[in-house]
Amino acid sequence: MSQLSAAQSTALASVTARAAEHSDWCATIFSYGETAWREYRSCAWYVEKLRAEGFDVEEGSAGMPTAFCATWSNGPESAGAPVIGMYAEYDAVPGNCQAASTRREPREGLGYQAGGHTDPHSGLGIAGLAGLLATKAAMEKHGIKGGLRFTGEPAEKVRGSKPIHAAKGYYDGLAAILSFHPFYMLPMCNTVRWNTHCGAAYAMIYRFICDEPQNWGAHDGAPIPQSHSAVRAPGANDALNLMFLTSKSLRDSMLPHQGGWSISEAILTAGQATADNLPAGLAEIQYMMRVPTLAMAEAVTAALDRNAEHAAAMTGCRVERHWVCKSRPGLANHAIANVVWEAMQATGAPAWGEAAKDIAREIQSGLGLSPMAEPFIPEMTRLITPQEAERILREDLPPSQANSTSDDYTDMTWHAPTARFYIARPALSAPKGYVYPSWVMNALGGIPETIDPMVQTAAGVLALSALRILEDAETRAAMWAEFETRRAAAPIPPLCDYDPPIHFRWPEYVTTPRGRDWWIPSTMPGA
């Protein structure tokens, strides 16, 4: 990379100077462990922090209670001044509650079924905030005109907020968007995506409702109308069970066998009948599909719709389909990818010191393994060029497949030039044939000594990239020329035609006479 500008040097110094704060912030969000659409404390923390740092913040952006949009400009806004977009994610995953500890244990007062950070979005969001604040500090000190927009993106694990923000215009008017994600697996480790961006994702909830059970198989043979001996509909639980099993058995027939697609399901509600022979009145199941193309997503949706209609008809129910997500496949942009790659070369890969290695060795020892001299996987401390990462990624994909896997940052790529980059998160080397339990990765994402290097490095890359774009009009022009060419080749407008799915029974923390608890009891009776 060419020599850093004075503003970029200021930004890196700011990231370093505030390292202790970043560490505390990351630990705070990790401790909340709030899951999709229910990130109340996490969102409130970001809103308060951003306002304290001089940002104007819209709470509940696009009708999502746990989303926000923060804006700042250096002086009065002027026509044509570039605005850079960054963002935070902060949702955790149910069933992954883990303390920032070297042994398996839930966070205090909770059980393992509560929410916990897996990716970890706690580090992702704080890296975004740290990079944002470092960029702001440099803009103020060096008089750089322009603005910053920072969105709070809930429910990423169900691809929730970004398609909605996109459709409501929150990414419009940006000069560029910078998208960071923690990762450790080759080839997407300490690199920038080049050609093959993530694909489409659809998610929906099928709600089965049995509101007239007496009319299923009705006849005149019952001695007493409405008696318990009368024939009644099987009900919503049976509908859900039929939908679950039928769709799972048909999974291989729903799509042609092309690389990088998956379908998964989650049961949101079941039951509703508490005694006797009354049929369940309500049951809900969510499906999430990750596919390379929208045509494939539509094909799966049609198959699931048919399955749902038949399951409802067989069980005396009616069925409703509610959208959770419809996100577009991503657009590449080499011009902005090069900007971020140069920033990554300037910062270098993250490095883990002896304190972090001692923690890693303690985990290995506790699992009955021999502690390693170098306990982290070597790829964590190496950079890989975007072109080499692309070459490795393409080895397992058909030549005709343009996108692979999914992530909802892709909706941003249709509104401004977007770079998607990855900084290594901590991961342990394993003896041949050994697989670490999942709690290990979750814990490493919460222990300051192991997660802070990723946060600091990603913050530096974000700030250097943002300032390069703000200071270099020629680079901005090249990014936009490429963006407009690629978008015009096969335009896809926002797909979101639904309201935020915030009213469903998403897992969450609740306050009861017993205190604060997870919606599944934290501990079993007698535990």
Side-chain angles (χ1 to χ4, degrees):
M1 179 178 179
S2 58
Q3 185 175 358
L4 295 180
S5 70
Q8 288 176 315
S9 296
T10 294
L12 287 185
S14 176
V15 170
T16 300
R18 303 190 73 170
E21 291 179 90
H22 304 157
S23 181
D24 290 343
W25 300 346
C26 189
T28 296
I29 301 300
F30 181 87
S31 73
Y32 292 158
E34 297 173 302
T35 54
W37 302 117
R38 301 293 184 258
E39 312 94 334
Y40 301 113
R41 298 173 75 189
S42 303
C43 180
W45 184 94
Y46 273 101
V47 169
E48 181 180 2
K49 179 63 63 179
L50 285 159
R51 284 177 174 159
E53 294 284 347
F55 283 77
D56 294 324
V57 184
E58 175 192 354
E59 297 183 68
S61 51
M64 298 177 283
T66 55
F68 63 81
C69 181
T71 56
W72 174 86
S73 61
N74 196 16
E77 294 188 16
S78 57
V83 179
I84 306 298
M86 304 183 204
Y87 62 88
E89 295 168 7
Y90 32 83
D91 61 317
V93 183
N96 281 272
C97 183
Q98 170 62 37
S101 168
T102 57
R103 64 180 184 272
R104 185 178 187 243
E105 57 181 339
R107 301 192 308 283
E108 185 177 358
L110 296 168
Y112 293 116
Q113 292 305 313
H117 285 279
T118 56
D119 267 343
H121 288 170
S122 46
L124 183 162
I126 296 304
L129 178 61
L132 179 85
L133 297 180
T135 304
K136 175 177 177 285
M139 292 174 69
E140 289 177 314
K141 181 175 180 178
H142 298 276
I144 298 172
K145 299 301 180 184
L148 299 171
R149 190 182 306 169
F150 192 71
T151 50
E153 304 289 355
E156 189 279 334
K157 285 299 185 182
V158 293
R159 308 299 188 263
S161 66
K162 297 188 192 77
I164 298 172
H165 270 151
K168 299 296 185 180
Y170 283 84
Y171 309 139
D172 295 342
L174 294 172
I177 302 174
L178 299 170
S179 173
F180 154 66
H181 203 282
F183 218 56
Y184 69 98
M185 293 183 289
L186 284 177
M188 294 303 164
C189 182
N190 297 324
T191 194
V192 190
R193 277 196 182 262
W194 193 241
N195 283 328
T196 307
H197 277 255
C198 290
Y202 276 21
M204 70 283 281
I205 293 168
Y206 290 97
R207 169 179 278 178
F208 295 99
I209 305 164
C210 185
D211 43 17
E212 296 182 347
Q214 72 280 0
N215 292 333
W216 187 87
H219 62 91
D220 296 328
I224 303 174
Q226 304 292 323
S227 74
H228 284 185
S229 62
V231 173
R232 289 180 180 271
N237 280 359
D238 288 50
L240 185 148
N241 186 56
L242 284 169
M243 181 68 177
F244 179 90
L245 294 175
T246 303
S247 298
K248 189 174 288 291
S249 68
L250 292 178
R251 185 168 294 174
D252 286 345
S253 301
M254 290 181 181
L255 281 173
H257 288 276
Q258 288 182 269
W261 67 269
S262 65
I263 307 172
S264 58
E265 62 281 299
I267 295 172
L268 292 186
T269 60
Q272 314 306 316
T274 58
D276 217 337
N277 66 343
L278 302 178
L282 174 69
E284 296 168 328
I285 186 169
Q286 174 194 283
Y287 284 89
M288 163 67 75
M289 66 191 80
R290 300 167 175 86
V291 289
T293 68
L294 291 177
M296 296 170 79
E298 292 290 343
V300 176
T301 299
L304 290 173
D305 284 351
R306 290 193 297 269
N307 293 350
E309 291 291 343
H310 289 301
M314 293 174 67
T315 56
C317 296
R318 57 187 174 88
V319 62
E320 299 172 351
R321 185 188 66 198
H322 298 270
W323 286 107
V324 176
C325 164
K326 288 196 284 187
S327 64
R328 295 165 280 184
L331 281 179
N333 192 295
H334 293 172
I336 191 172
N338 279 327
V339 168
V340 176
W341 174 240
E342 289 187 8
M344 293 179 74
Q345 291 174 287
T347 62
W352 281 264
E354 281 304 311
K357 292 178 182 179
D358 285 343
I359 288 168
R361 295 180 191 118
E362 185 177 336
I363 292 174
Q364 290 175 327
S365 179
L367 292 169
L369 303 174
S370 298
M372 298 177 178
E374 295 296 334
F376 294 112
I377 62 172
E379 288 80 8
M380 287 166 43
T381 55
R382 303 172 185 166
L383 299 181
I384 179 171
T385 69
Q387 294 80 5
E388 177 62 9
E390 175 76 12
R391 184 193 65 78
I392 297 171
L393 180 64
R394 297 299 314 184
E395 286 179 350
D396 296 324
L397 297 178
S400 61
Q401 184 172 326
N403 299 89
S404 177
T405 73
S406 77
D407 192 298
D408 61 356
Y409 82 89
T410 54
D411 264 283
M412 295 174 161
T413 70
W414 293 91
H415 296 261
T418 303
R420 175 68 162 184
F421 73 95
Y422 303 89
I423 300 296
R425 59 174 295 184
L428 301 186
S429 291
K432 186 175 182 179
Y434 182 80
V435 178
Y436 286 98
S438 59
W439 70 262
V440 173
M441 290 288 285
N442 297 351
L444 291 171
I447 298 171
E449 291 85 351
T450 55
I451 195 60
D452 288 355
M454 180 205 78
V455 172
Q456 289 294 103
T457 302
V461 173
L462 286 165
L464 293 185
S465 301
L467 290 164
R468 166 71 185 283
I469 296 166
L470 287 166
E471 293 185 287
D472 190 341
E474 186 176 339
T475 293
R476 291 199 305 273
M479 289 162 29
W480 267 88
E482 181 178 355
F483 168 71
E484 290 174 340
T485 297
R486 291 182 184 271
R487 183 175 59 175
I492 304 175
L495 302 176
C496 175
D497 55 1
Y498 49 89
D499 294 327
I502 57 177
H503 301 297
F504 289 90
R505 182 70 187 275
W506 301 103
E508 63 182 322
Y509 297 94
V510 295
T511 300
T512 74
R514 302 184 306 279
R516 188 168 184 260
D517 201 354
W518 185 242
W519 76 311
I520 301 172
S522 290
T523 56
M524 293 296 145

